[in-house]
Amino acid sequence: ALIESLEGKQGKPRLKPPFPADVGVFGCPTTVTNVETVAVAPTICRRGGSWFAGFGRPRNTGTKLFNISGHVNNPCTVEEEMSVPLKDLIERHCGGVIGGWDNLLCVIPGGSSTPLIPKKVCDDVLMDFDALVAAQTGLGTAAVIVMNKQTDVVKAIARLSLFYKHESCGQCTPCREGCD
């Protein structure tokens, strides 16, 4: 979708093959990567892969950019090591939940397309791939959405569904069929 947008077309995903490394922007070979990878690559090259792998826990190593929003005192984007406890992430970097930790209702831990987790899970869950799969959700984009007890969860999820219905390009079956 990014390549299509750069070429002045509607931002819809391209069918593959051909892959961008062969035929990318304006038909030329193109490397597509995210800002998280680009930002950390020089440090990994300078300090070494074993240094980077020293963060987190086995199968979930390195650092991650967490974008924390919703009912927190100080929404922020922070680079933190993988496997950081969710409670520590929110308390240390965002100044906690508005109304205190006991006012927490639930968290969407990996962006709006990942299942939410209730407070009792949030108390102890680690922010990594394996721990969140075990909690029946996912790390996804690590866009953490915090909801306190003043939230109408049904209304919030309905709003997310309307967003996906409006923003869907119609190419993916889950978006195309799941929102109607």
Side-chain angles (χ1 to χ4, degrees):
L2 175 62
I3 293 173
E4 292 291 301
S5 293
L6 288 171
E7 292 179 341
K9 302 172 191 165
Q10 190 175 11
K12 292 186 175 183
R14 287 186 175 178
L15 295 176
K16 297 171 193 68
F19 293 97
D22 297 322
V23 180
V25 177
F26 305 113
C28 298
T30 306
T31 299
V32 179
T33 191
N34 62 40
V35 69
E36 193 170 25
T37 303
V38 171
V40 76
T43 306
I44 294 171
C45 290
R46 197 170 46 254
R47 294 183 147 188
S50 59
W51 167 81
F52 188 71
F55 294 104
R57 62 188 186 129
R59 294 178 26 96
N60 297 276
T61 60
T63 62
K64 186 80 179 146
L65 291 176
F66 294 95
N67 182 291
I68 309 159
S69 64
H71 298 128
V72 292
N73 290 307
N74 300 303
C76 67
T77 299
V78 61
E79 183 179 17
E80 183 60 83
E81 72 177 287
M82 291 286 285
S83 307
V84 62
L86 174 60
K87 185 174 181 179
D88 289 355
L89 187 68
I90 293 170
E91 295 288 334
R92 187 174 348 130
H93 297 291
C94 300
V97 176
I98 294 173
W101 187 257
D102 289 336
N103 194 37
L104 179 65
L105 179 65
C106 62
V107 170
I108 299 175
S112 60
S113 61
T114 61
L116 59 81
I117 49 177
K119 180 192 178 295
K120 66 180 180 184
V121 175
C122 296
D123 289 338
D124 300 310
V125 75
L126 301 178
M127 291 298 288
D128 67 32
F129 299 104
D130 293 340
L132 290 171
V133 166
Q136 298 181 331
T137 187
L139 185 59
T141 61
V144 179
I145 304 169
V146 177
M147 293 183 238
N148 68 15
K149 289 180 179 175
Q150 285 66 52
T151 305
D152 180 337
V153 175
V154 173
K155 188 175 179 180
I157 300 302
R159 176 65 186 96
L160 290 173
S161 294
L162 286 174
F163 167 80
Y164 280 106
K165 182 176 184 176
H166 181 263
E167 295 300 320
S168 172
C169 69
Q171 287 188 335
C172 306
T173 302
C175 283
R176 183 180 63 246
E177 304 299 328
C179 291
D180 282 330

